[in-house]
Amino acid sequence: MEATIEVSGLSKRYGSTVALDRMTFRVTPGQVTGFVGPNGAGKSTTMRILVGLDRADAGTAKVGDRSYHELVRPMTTVGTLLDAAAIHPARTGRNHLLWLAQSQRIPAGRVDELLEEVGLAGAARRRGGGYSLGMRQRLGVAAALLGDPPILILDEPFNGLDPAGFVWMRDLLRRRAEQGRAVLVASHLMGELQDLAGHVVVVAGGRVVADAPTRDMRDRYGSLESAYLELVR
Amino acid sequence: MIRAELTKLRTVRGWLFGLTAAVVLFVGSALLVAAGSHMSCGDQACPAPPVGPDGQAVEDHFGFAHRTLAGDGSLTAHVRDFSGIITYPPPRHDQIVEGLVPWAKAGLVIKDGTRPGSPYAAVMLTGSHGVRMQHDYVHDRAGGPTGARWLRLTRTGASVTAYASLDGKTWTTVGTVEMSGPAEIGFLIASPGDITVTENGLGGTSVQSRFTQASAVFDQITSTAGGEWRYDEVGGGGPGADWEKYHRPAGLEASAGRLTLTGSGDLAPVSGMAAVPYLAGTVPALLAVLIVAVLFITSEFRRGLIRTTLLASPARGHVLAAKAAVIGGVTFTVVLVAVVAARAWSTTVFRANGNIVLPTGALTDLRLAVGTAALLAVTAVLAYGLGVLLRRGLPAILLAVLLTVVPYLLATTSLLPPGAGEWLLRVTPAAGFAVQQTFPAYGHVLLPYTPAQGYFPLAPLAGLAIAAAWALGLLVLAVLRFRRADV
């Protein structure tokens, strides 16, 4: 299996609102791909369709040459972070990861390993309801990394993190990309992406308006931020 | 996936608390009701009713004129007269009237001695159900020509055959039953109490039984057994009713080939006595279980956790089925434990209060325990299905209660007319409560077999099947809707 994400001709409407209009792009392994665009441009919808939560009206969305629902133990192929707040407040962080691990037949030892890695070992046995936004974000990342997947899909992974958390997240994503994984990161933080992403997909109004190496964007527009502002205007 | 869902269920403290509460409520209610039930008979323990050959507690009280039957033989007689009195019947309950209650009995009987509860086979004329052959208290069948007054009972080898006739010449077989060993053969007279049901205000009924007496004159008697006709009041020995003291005592009068037998009582399974109330906590426990079952799924919708669940297991039908299996399986196990504990504990308390513990039979006990666990499990799955459909906790809980607990309470507290109540217990998921019926309804025992008295319109498994069909239907609907939805 090749660690790629392939979105092709994806369209989706909600009533009369067009959310996606023939969205097409490809994410290749070995680098972080930035996924940027204004609110409502279709980033989250695309990601949700990629992992089978929403249904497209037309087009295909494949992860590793397959659609998500064909994957066996899907979290060992694709790690996803969409909404870090989606935990049960009464369940501890460790138990949250534990049921996820059990659903993928991943040994429980991996859970403790990951809690250590994302810096939640000390809070692992506390109820998730008491977690700060940053801690939830770390728990969400731990869930995404649980199955050691070759593909990562992360929506605003920097949300709620403190400055040390930014550094940690940046390193984590870069390291995964260097290991030959495909990493798709949706974010509004142009400064972060400029240093981190090797490639950028810019979307607006449900379609791709630019799909190029970050370096090319920077060369042409001066910075990723300028490129973004120019492209989505 | 099952294991992951089990982990989810056990790692939310509120749900564990809810399931524990279900057990505590179930056992606690049973104990409370048992502790509140008292029975006393003067200053001594109440005598337990005899137990019949089939294991039921039985009433075995009748007037018996008998001879010893060694081996084969037969008895034939004509019922010349059959009459009686009923004390203070409805509507005004103010006078004693002449008449027979529907199951007053006069006829011939072969019985294994006079010990109450011993086996027997009998053919009899009844107050208003014609000629019947009955044996061993719980078995009854109609037969013979309409209006027959001639009865015959014969024993050949190990079988007893009953006949009836209009003229004493042409005989019709009513039935044959197996019965061997030494026996007494003779005449029986019995007249069960007159049962009336009174509504007492909001949601309660009381059942009353008033004294009746029957009297039969037998003539044209042909008996292969010889000797005197000896009289015994089987199962008697009480103080006797005022009627017996001042007007007409029970007993036998013999004159010129004619026997007049007068008496009261019945040969029938015991009625109107309560079983150990160990299922009293079903509704409170059910409420606790319903809430947990609904929250088990709606909390996932509320927090968006359902998306994480579907990322881990994209096959949505499987996810919903696994969750249903977990909530149903856990409920079943937890309730089974609760029933076993409630039964053991409340039986001790019930007995200590002087109550008589009626034998129910191992199969019935098993059905009550497993059936109650299944009833709550099925209802939990139903509530969970509503949770999937509505996606919100409170509406799903309310609707689940409206579909299960409310019809049950309406039907069993006589807030509704019995017809409407029974209809509810046929079509709503509350039909499943039928699995909790302890004693069968007997066609030959006149009782108000209403939900308020613990009798349900459907057979136990049929009722449970209705509830299960509801649960399954809602689950299928939920899966169909959920499978194509964006979450």
Side-chain angles (χ1 to χ4, degrees), chain B residues 127-171:
Chain B
S128 50
H129 294 282
V131 173
R132 318 292 294 196
M133 179 174 198
Q134 296 188 351
H135 71 281
D136 295 351
Y137 310 93
V138 294
H139 307 285
D140 165 66
R141 81 179 72 158
T146 311
R149 303 285 283 197
W150 287 84
L151 301 173
R152 174 179 288 169
L153 208 50
T154 67
R155 184 165 80 172
T156 317
S159 30
V160 173
T161 306
Y163 305 88
S165 167
L166 284 166
D167 52 10
K169 298 187 185 87
T170 319
W171 292 89

XYZ file of all heavy atoms in Angstrom, chain B residues 127-171:
345
model
N -71.896 -26.679 38.374
C -72.949 -25.675 38.461
C -73.382 -25.177 37.102
O -74.571 -25.128 36.799
N -72.414 -24.792 36.260
C -72.823 -24.310 34.938
C -71.845 -24.685 33.830
O -71.826 -24.056 32.779
C -73.037 -22.792 34.974
O -71.932 -22.164 35.546
N -71.011 -25.703 34.059
C -70.085 -26.109 33.011
C -70.302 -27.559 32.601
O -69.387 -28.208 32.073
C -68.641 -25.881 33.456
C -68.298 -24.433 33.645
N -68.034 -23.576 32.600
C -68.221 -23.670 34.765
C -67.779 -22.355 33.071
N -67.897 -22.380 34.392
N -71.497 -28.087 32.847
C -71.855 -29.412 32.371
C -71.058 -30.508 33.051
O -70.572 -30.350 34.173
N -70.920 -31.619 32.344
C -70.181 -32.765 32.884
C -68.702 -32.580 32.593
O -68.315 -32.202 31.486
C -70.698 -34.081 32.255
C -69.827 -35.255 32.690
C -72.152 -34.321 32.637
N -67.876 -32.820 33.594
C -66.429 -32.676 33.426
C -65.754 -33.927 33.955
O -66.246 -34.579 34.886
C -65.868 -31.501 34.240
C -66.668 -30.241 34.242
C -66.704 -29.539 32.940
N -65.419 -29.008 32.518
C -65.307 -28.087 31.537
N -66.402 -27.601 30.933
N -64.141 -27.660 31.155
N -64.601 -34.230 33.381
C -63.711 -35.186 34.035
C -62.506 -34.387 34.512
O -61.896 -33.651 33.739
C -63.247 -36.286 33.089
C -62.302 -37.244 33.825
S -61.827 -38.669 32.879
C -61.229 -39.730 34.209
N -62.192 -34.503 35.772
C -61.039 -33.794 36.318
C -60.170 -34.789 37.056
O -60.658 -35.774 37.624
C -61.481 -32.681 37.280
C -62.298 -31.588 36.591
C -62.564 -30.384 37.491
O -62.289 -30.425 38.691
N -63.105 -29.332 36.893
N -58.849 -34.526 37.040
C -57.980 -35.345 37.883
C -56.781 -34.522 38.352
O -56.352 -33.585 37.686
C -57.536 -36.617 37.152
C -56.564 -36.401 36.040
N -56.934 -35.957 34.803
C -55.220 -36.572 35.991
C -55.878 -35.872 34.018
N -54.818 -36.225 34.715
N -56.304 -34.900 39.514
C -55.105 -34.314 40.108
C -55.112 -32.784 40.089
O -54.088 -32.146 39.804
C -53.847 -34.874 39.427
C -53.715 -36.375 39.695
O -54.486 -36.895 40.531
O -52.858 -37.017 39.058
N -56.250 -32.193 40.363
C -56.436 -30.771 40.663
C -56.301 -29.812 39.479
O -56.994 -28.803 39.415
C -55.471 -30.315 41.792
C -55.541 -31.248 42.970
C -54.662 -32.327 43.087
C -56.520 -31.087 43.927
C -54.758 -33.220 44.148
C -56.628 -31.973 45.003
C -55.746 -33.032 45.097
O -55.860 -33.906 46.129
N -55.349 -30.090 38.564
C -55.080 -29.105 37.519
C -55.594 -29.531 36.147
O -55.543 -28.758 35.199
C -53.571 -28.781 37.434
C -53.117 -28.073 38.698
C -52.742 -30.033 37.200
N -56.082 -30.767 36.050
C -56.506 -31.235 34.738
C -58.033 -31.297 34.657
O -58.678 -31.806 35.565
C -55.924 -32.617 34.452
C -54.443 -32.665 34.633
N -53.576 -32.118 33.707
C -53.672 -33.138 35.649
C -52.330 -32.275 34.139
N -52.364 -32.884 35.319
N -58.544 -30.767 33.572
C -60.001 -30.658 33.433
C -60.386 -30.827 31.981
O -59.728 -30.298 31.091
C -60.430 -29.264 33.934
C -61.851 -28.914 33.512
O -62.785 -29.580 33.989
O -62.007 -27.979 32.695
N -61.448 -31.610 31.734
C -61.948 -31.660 30.358
C -63.473 -31.827 30.393
O -64.009 -32.437 31.336
C -61.293 -32.794 29.575
C -61.893 -34.154 29.806
C -61.199 -35.200 28.990
N -59.866 -35.462 29.545
C -59.190 -36.593 29.321
N -59.676 -37.501 28.522
N -58.022 -36.796 29.877
N -64.109 -31.262 29.378
C -65.565 -31.372 29.284
C -65.906 -32.639 28.512
O -65.071 -33.189 27.803
C -66.126 -30.152 28.555
N -67.135 -33.096 28.653
C -67.519 -34.274 27.886
C -68.942 -34.700 28.209
O -69.612 -34.103 29.047
N -69.385 -35.743 27.498
C -70.722 -36.287 27.751
C -71.789 -35.497 27.044
O -71.556 -34.375 26.593
N -72.972 -36.084 26.930
C -74.081 -35.381 26.270
C -74.581 -34.221 27.143
O -74.491 -34.274 28.366
C -75.148 -36.456 26.130
C -74.761 -37.566 27.027
C -73.316 -37.447 27.349
N -75.088 -33.190 26.481
C -75.619 -32.041 27.217
C -76.822 -32.479 28.048
O -77.703 -33.188 27.553
C -76.072 -30.952 26.228
O -75.007 -30.743 25.302
C -76.368 -29.644 26.944
N -76.826 -32.076 29.307
C -77.951 -32.405 30.168
C -77.854 -33.767 30.817
O -78.803 -34.223 31.439
N -76.695 -34.432 30.654
C -76.544 -35.762 31.260
C -76.626 -35.663 32.775
O -76.094 -34.739 33.378
C -75.203 -36.363 30.834
N -77.336 -36.623 33.394
C -77.420 -36.677 34.865
C -76.905 -38.008 35.383
O -76.908 -38.251 36.582
C -78.877 -36.496 35.326
C -79.551 -35.219 34.849
C -79.090 -34.007 35.592
N -79.676 -33.880 36.906
C -79.694 -32.770 37.627
N -79.152 -31.661 37.137
N -80.235 -32.741 38.817
N -76.591 -38.900 34.471
C -76.048 -40.203 34.860
C -74.527 -40.177 34.729
O -73.992 -39.731 33.719
C -76.604 -41.309 33.952
C -78.036 -41.655 34.209
C -79.120 -41.011 33.717
C -78.504 -42.735 35.008
N -80.265 -41.603 34.148
C -79.937 -42.673 34.954
C -77.906 -43.743 35.768
C -80.728 -43.589 35.632
C -78.700 -44.659 36.429
C -80.113 -44.567 36.370
N -73.830 -40.677 35.767
C -72.364 -40.675 35.757
C -71.853 -42.076 36.077
O -72.472 -42.819 36.843
C -71.831 -39.692 36.808
C -72.260 -38.226 36.662
C -71.792 -37.425 37.881
C -71.715 -37.609 35.379
N -70.729 -42.426 35.475
C -70.103 -43.720 35.787
C -68.590 -43.563 35.785
O -68.032 -42.847 34.952
C -70.507 -44.765 34.758
C -69.786 -46.114 34.939
C -70.227 -47.121 33.922
N -71.585 -47.602 34.195
C -72.290 -48.333 33.335
N -71.781 -48.639 32.150
N -73.500 -48.744 33.649
N -67.981 -44.218 36.753
C -66.523 -44.204 36.846
C -66.088 -45.666 36.959
O -66.583 -46.397 37.818
C -66.117 -43.440 38.110
C -64.765 -42.722 38.165
C -64.539 -41.836 36.961
C -64.666 -41.924 39.450
N -65.179 -46.118 36.087
C -64.703 -47.503 36.178
C -63.194 -47.526 36.203
O -62.544 -46.659 35.612
C -65.157 -48.355 34.972
O -64.499 -47.862 33.800
C -66.643 -48.292 34.768
N -62.683 -48.514 36.906
C -61.230 -48.697 36.871
C -60.930 -50.072 36.330
O -61.466 -51.072 36.814
C -60.589 -48.536 38.242
C -59.058 -48.642 38.134
C -58.362 -48.145 39.331
N -58.378 -49.156 40.381
C -57.681 -49.037 41.510
N -56.983 -47.948 41.726
N -57.734 -49.976 42.416
N -60.081 -50.114 35.304
C -59.613 -51.360 34.739
C -58.103 -51.284 34.696
O -57.558 -50.437 33.992
C -60.152 -51.568 33.305
O -61.529 -51.189 33.304
C -59.982 -52.981 32.842
N -57.445 -52.166 35.454
C -55.985 -52.090 35.517
C -55.577 -50.741 36.067
O -56.033 -50.349 37.137
N -54.754 -50.032 35.298
C -54.237 -48.759 35.793
C -54.995 -47.583 35.201
O -54.595 -46.442 35.384
C -52.753 -48.622 35.471
N -56.079 -47.829 34.469
C -56.775 -46.669 33.927
C -58.171 -46.503 34.504
O -58.877 -47.484 34.769
C -56.829 -46.708 32.397
O -56.848 -48.009 31.942
N -58.503 -45.259 34.692
C -59.831 -44.888 35.176
C -60.552 -44.187 34.033
O -60.020 -43.252 33.447
C -59.733 -43.956 36.393
C -61.096 -43.448 36.792
C -59.047 -44.663 37.553
N -61.753 -44.687 33.730
C -62.511 -44.100 32.640
C -63.816 -43.523 33.182
O -64.462 -44.138 34.031
C -62.810 -45.140 31.545
O -61.581 -45.736 31.148
C -63.461 -44.499 30.324
N -64.165 -42.344 32.663
C -65.400 -41.697 33.096
C -66.398 -41.703 31.951
O -66.040 -41.538 30.789
C -65.096 -40.249 33.507
N -67.661 -41.941 32.308
C -68.728 -41.948 31.316
C -69.855 -41.048 31.798
O -69.995 -40.797 32.998
C -69.302 -43.352 31.127
C -68.296 -44.407 30.773
C -67.626 -45.109 31.779
C -68.027 -44.732 29.432
C -66.706 -46.093 31.476
C -67.102 -45.720 29.121
C -66.448 -46.395 30.142
O -65.542 -47.370 29.825
N -70.668 -40.592 30.838
C -71.879 -39.847 31.198
C -73.004 -40.329 30.294
O -72.761 -40.816 29.188
C -71.656 -38.353 31.018
N -74.231 -40.162 30.798
C -75.370 -40.669 30.022
C -76.618 -39.848 30.336
O -76.759 -39.291 31.425
C -75.595 -42.138 30.374
O -76.848 -42.559 29.867
N -77.497 -39.778 29.339
C -78.775 -39.076 29.540
C -79.797 -39.984 30.206
O -80.662 -39.536 30.952
C -79.318 -38.602 28.187
C -78.640 -37.388 27.578
C -79.041 -37.243 26.117
C -78.990 -36.130 28.361
N -79.719 -41.305 29.901
C -80.778 -42.204 30.333
C -80.297 -43.398 31.160
O -81.109 -44.232 31.558
C -81.518 -42.724 29.091
C -80.547 -43.314 28.078
O -79.347 -43.494 28.427
O -80.966 -43.599 26.942
N -78.992 -43.508 31.378
C -78.486 -44.655 32.131
C -78.342 -45.894 31.273
O -78.023 -46.955 31.790
N -78.599 -45.779 29.992
C -78.477 -46.931 29.099
C -77.372 -46.703 28.072
O -76.497 -47.533 27.896
C -79.809 -47.186 28.380
C -80.945 -47.525 29.327
C -82.196 -47.932 28.547
C -83.379 -48.160 29.496
N -84.111 -46.895 29.753
N -77.435 -45.596 27.373
C -76.411 -45.272 26.367
C -75.359 -44.395 27.023
O -75.671 -43.318 27.549
C -77.043 -44.500 25.201
O -78.285 -45.091 24.898
C -76.134 -44.492 23.994
N -74.124 -44.875 27.008
C -73.057 -44.156 27.722
C -72.048 -43.526 26.761
O -71.683 -44.110 25.755
C -72.338 -45.084 28.696
C -73.235 -45.493 29.842
C -74.074 -46.567 29.882
C -73.403 -44.795 31.068
N -74.756 -46.590 31.060
C -74.358 -45.517 31.826
C -72.851 -43.633 31.620
C -74.764 -45.118 33.090
C -73.245 -43.246 32.877
C -74.194 -43.975 33.601
